Coordinates of all heavy atoms in Angstrom, one line a residue:
P1 N 48.2 151.3 49.5 CA 46.7 151.3 50.0 C 46.6 151.1 51.4 O 45.5 151.5 52.0 CB 46.1 150.2 49.1 CG 47.0 150.0 47.9 CD 48.4 150.3 48.4
S2 N 47.5 150.4 52.1 CA 47.4 150.1 53.5 C 47.4 151.4 54.3 O 46.9 151.4 55.5 CB 48.5 149.2 53.9 OG 49.8 149.8 53.8
N3 N 47.9 152.4 53.8 CA 48.0 153.8 54.5 C 46.8 154.7 54.1 O 46.9 155.8 54.4 CB 49.3 154.4 54.1 CG 50.5 153.8 54.7 OD1 50.4 153.0 55.7 ND2 51.7 153.9 54.1
W4 N 45.8 154.1 53.4 CA 44.7 155.0 52.9 C 44.0 155.7 54.0 O 43.7 156.9 53.8 CB 43.8 154.1 52.0 CG 42.6 154.9 51.5 CD1 41.3 154.7 51.7 CD2 42.7 156.0 50.6 NE1 40.6 155.6 51.0 CE2 41.4 156.4 50.3 CE3 43.8 156.6 49.9 CZ2 41.1 157.5 49.4 CZ3 43.5 157.7 49.1 CH2 42.2 158.1 48.8
S5 N 43.6 155.0 55.1 CA 42.9 155.7 56.1 C 43.6 156.9 56.7 O 43.0 158.0 56.9 CB 42.5 154.7 57.3 OG 41.7 153.7 56.8
E6 N 44.9 156.7 56.9 CA 45.7 157.8 57.4 C 45.8 158.9 56.4 O 45.8 160.1 56.7 CB 47.1 157.3 57.8 CG 48.0 158.3 58.5 CD 47.4 158.8 59.9 OE1 46.7 158.0 60.5 OE2 47.7 159.9 60.3
F7 N 45.9 158.5 55.1 CA 45.9 159.5 54.0 C 44.7 160.4 54.0 O 44.8 161.6 53.8 CB 46.2 158.8 52.7 CG 46.1 159.7 51.5 CD1 47.3 160.4 51.1 CD2 45.0 159.9 50.7 CE1 47.3 161.2 50.0 CE2 45.0 160.7 49.6 CZ 46.1 161.4 49.2
V8 N 43.5 159.7 54.1 CA 42.3 160.5 54.2 C 42.2 161.5 55.3 O 41.8 162.6 55.1 CB 41.1 159.5 54.2 CG1 39.8 160.3 54.4 CG2 41.0 158.7 52.9
K9 N 42.6 161.0 56.5 CA 42.6 161.9 57.6 C 43.5 163.2 57.4 O 43.1 164.3 57.7 CB 43.1 161.2 58.9 CG 42.1 160.1 59.4 CD 42.6 159.4 60.6 CE 41.7 158.3 61.0 NZ 42.3 157.6 62.2
K10 N 44.7 162.9 56.9 CA 45.6 164.1 56.7 C 45.1 165.0 55.5 O 45.2 166.2 55.6 CB 47.0 163.5 56.3 CG 47.8 162.8 57.4 CD 49.1 162.4 57.0 CE 49.9 161.8 58.2 NZ 51.3 161.3 57.8
T11 N 44.5 164.4 54.5 CA 44.0 165.2 53.4 C 42.9 166.1 53.8 O 42.8 167.2 53.4 CB 43.5 164.2 52.3 OG1 44.6 163.4 51.9 CG2 43.0 165.0 51.1
L12 N 42.0 165.6 54.7 CA 40.8 166.4 55.1 C 41.1 167.3 56.3 O 40.3 168.2 56.5 CB 39.7 165.4 55.5 CG 39.1 164.6 54.3 CD1 38.0 163.7 54.8 CD2 38.6 165.5 53.2
N13 N 42.2 167.1 56.9 CA 42.5 168.0 58.1 C 42.7 169.4 57.6 O 43.6 169.7 56.8 CB 43.8 167.5 58.8 CG 44.1 168.2 60.0 OD1 43.2 168.7 60.7 ND2 45.4 168.4 60.3
K14 N 41.9 170.3 58.1 CA 41.9 171.8 57.8 C 41.8 172.0 56.3 O 42.1 173.1 55.8 CB 43.3 172.3 58.3 CG 43.5 172.3 59.8 CD 44.8 172.9 60.2 CE 45.0 172.8 61.7 NZ 46.2 173.5 62.2
A15 N 41.2 171.1 55.6 CA 41.0 171.3 54.1 C 39.7 172.2 53.9 O 38.9 172.3 54.8 CB 40.8 170.0 53.4
D16 N 39.6 172.8 52.8 CA 38.5 173.5 52.3 C 37.4 172.6 51.8 O 37.5 172.2 50.6 CB 38.9 174.6 51.3 CG 37.9 175.7 51.1 OD1 36.9 175.7 51.8 OD2 38.1 176.6 50.2
L17 N 36.4 172.3 52.6 CA 35.5 171.2 52.2 C 34.2 171.8 51.5 O 33.7 172.9 51.8 CB 35.0 170.5 53.5 CG 36.1 169.9 54.4 CD1 35.4 169.2 55.5 CD2 37.0 169.0 53.6
S18 N 33.8 171.1 50.5 CA 32.6 171.5 49.8 C 31.3 171.2 50.6 O 31.4 170.4 51.5 CB 32.4 170.7 48.5 OG 32.4 169.3 48.7
T19 N 30.3 172.0 50.4 CA 29.1 171.8 51.2 C 27.9 171.5 50.3 O 28.0 171.7 49.1 CB 28.8 173.1 52.0 OG1 28.8 174.2 51.1 CG2 29.8 173.3 53.1
S20 N 26.9 171.0 50.8 CA 25.8 170.4 50.0 C 25.1 171.4 49.1 O 24.6 171.0 48.1 CB 24.7 169.8 51.0 OG 24.2 170.8 51.9
E21 N 25.1 172.7 49.4 CA 24.4 173.7 48.6 C 25.1 173.9 47.2 O 24.5 174.5 46.3 CB 24.2 175.0 49.3 CG 25.5 175.7 49.6 CD 26.0 175.4 51.1 OE1 25.5 174.4 51.6 OE2 26.9 176.2 51.5
L22 N 26.3 173.5 47.1 CA 27.0 173.6 45.8 C 26.5 172.6 44.8 O 26.7 172.8 43.6 CB 28.5 173.5 46.1 CG 29.2 174.5 46.9 CD1 30.7 174.2 47.1 CD2 29.0 175.9 46.4
F23 N 26.0 171.5 45.3 CA 25.6 170.4 44.4 C 24.2 170.5 44.0 O 23.3 170.7 44.8 CB 25.9 169.1 45.1 CG 27.3 168.9 45.5 CD1 27.8 169.5 46.7 CD2 28.2 168.1 44.7 CE1 29.2 169.3 47.0 CE2 29.5 168.0 45.0 CZ 30.0 168.6 46.1
L24 N 24.0 170.3 42.7 CA 22.6 170.6 42.1 C 22.0 169.2 41.6 O 22.8 168.2 41.3 CB 22.7 171.5 40.9 CG 23.4 172.9 41.2 CD1 23.6 173.7 40.0 CD2 22.6 173.6 42.3
T25 N 20.7 169.2 41.5 CA 20.0 168.0 41.1 C 20.3 167.7 39.6 O 20.1 168.6 38.8 CB 18.5 168.1 41.3 OG1 18.3 168.4 42.7 CG2 17.8 166.9 40.9
P26 N 20.7 166.5 39.2 CA 20.9 166.2 37.8 C 19.6 166.4 37.0 O 18.5 166.2 37.6 CB 21.3 164.8 37.8 CG 21.8 164.5 39.2 CD 21.0 165.4 40.1
P27 N 19.7 166.7 35.7 CA 18.5 166.9 34.9 C 17.8 165.5 34.7 O 18.3 164.5 34.9 CB 19.0 167.4 33.6 CG 20.5 166.8 33.5 CD 20.9 166.9 34.9
T28 N 16.5 165.6 34.3 CA 15.7 164.4 33.9 C 16.1 164.1 32.5 O 16.0 164.9 31.6 CB 14.2 164.8 34.0 OG1 13.8 165.1 35.3 CG2 13.4 163.5 33.6
P29 N 16.6 162.9 32.3 CA 17.1 162.5 30.9 C 15.9 162.2 29.9 O 14.8 161.9 30.3 CB 17.8 161.2 31.2 CG 17.2 160.6 32.4 CD 16.8 161.8 33.3
P30 N 16.1 162.5 28.7 CA 15.1 162.2 27.7 C 14.9 160.7 27.6 O 15.8 159.9 27.8 CB 15.8 162.8 26.3 CG 17.2 162.8 26.6 CD 17.4 163.1 28.1
E31 N 13.7 160.4 27.2 CA 13.3 159.0 27.2 C 13.9 158.2 26.1 O 14.1 156.9 26.3 CB 11.7 158.9 27.2 CG 11.1 159.4 28.4 CD 9.5 159.2 28.3 OE1 9.0 158.7 27.3 OE2 8.9 159.6 29.3
K32 N 14.2 158.7 25.0 CA 14.7 158.0 23.9 C 15.6 158.9 23.0 O 15.6 160.1 23.1 CB 13.6 157.3 23.0 CG 12.6 158.3 22.4 CD 11.6 157.5 21.7 CE 10.5 158.4 21.1 NZ 9.5 157.6 20.3
N33 N 16.4 158.2 22.1 CA 17.3 158.9 21.2 C 16.6 159.5 20.0 O 16.0 158.7 19.2 CB 18.4 157.9 20.8 CG 19.5 158.6 20.0 OD1 19.4 159.8 19.7 ND2 20.4 157.8 19.5
M34 N 16.5 160.8 19.9 CA 15.8 161.5 18.9 C 16.7 162.3 18.0 O 16.3 163.1 17.1 CB 14.7 162.4 19.4 CG 13.6 161.7 20.2 SD 12.6 160.6 19.2 CE 11.7 161.9 18.2
F35 N 18.1 162.1 18.2 CA 19.0 162.8 17.3 C 18.9 162.3 15.9 O 18.6 161.1 15.7 CB 20.4 162.6 17.8 CG 20.7 163.4 19.1 CD1 20.7 162.8 20.3 CD2 21.1 164.7 19.0 CE1 20.9 163.6 21.5 CE2 21.4 165.5 20.1 CZ 21.3 164.9 21.4
E36 N 19.3 163.2 15.0 CA 19.3 162.8 13.5 C 20.6 163.2 12.9 O 21.2 164.2 13.4 CB 18.1 163.5 12.8 CG 16.7 163.0 13.3 CD 15.6 163.8 12.5 OE1 15.9 164.5 11.6 OE2 14.4 163.6 12.9
V37 N 21.0 162.5 11.9 CA 22.3 162.8 11.2 C 22.2 164.2 10.6 O 21.2 164.6 10.0 CB 22.5 161.7 10.1 CG1 23.8 162.2 9.2 CG2 22.8 160.4 10.7

């Protein structure tokens, strides 16, 4: 773990990075459990 900062730098160097438009808003969850057996 002591080498983590250096690991991050090397991992991201020239890497194919994701951009914000790929990430979507999570759905609104139902208020209660209405499933039935």
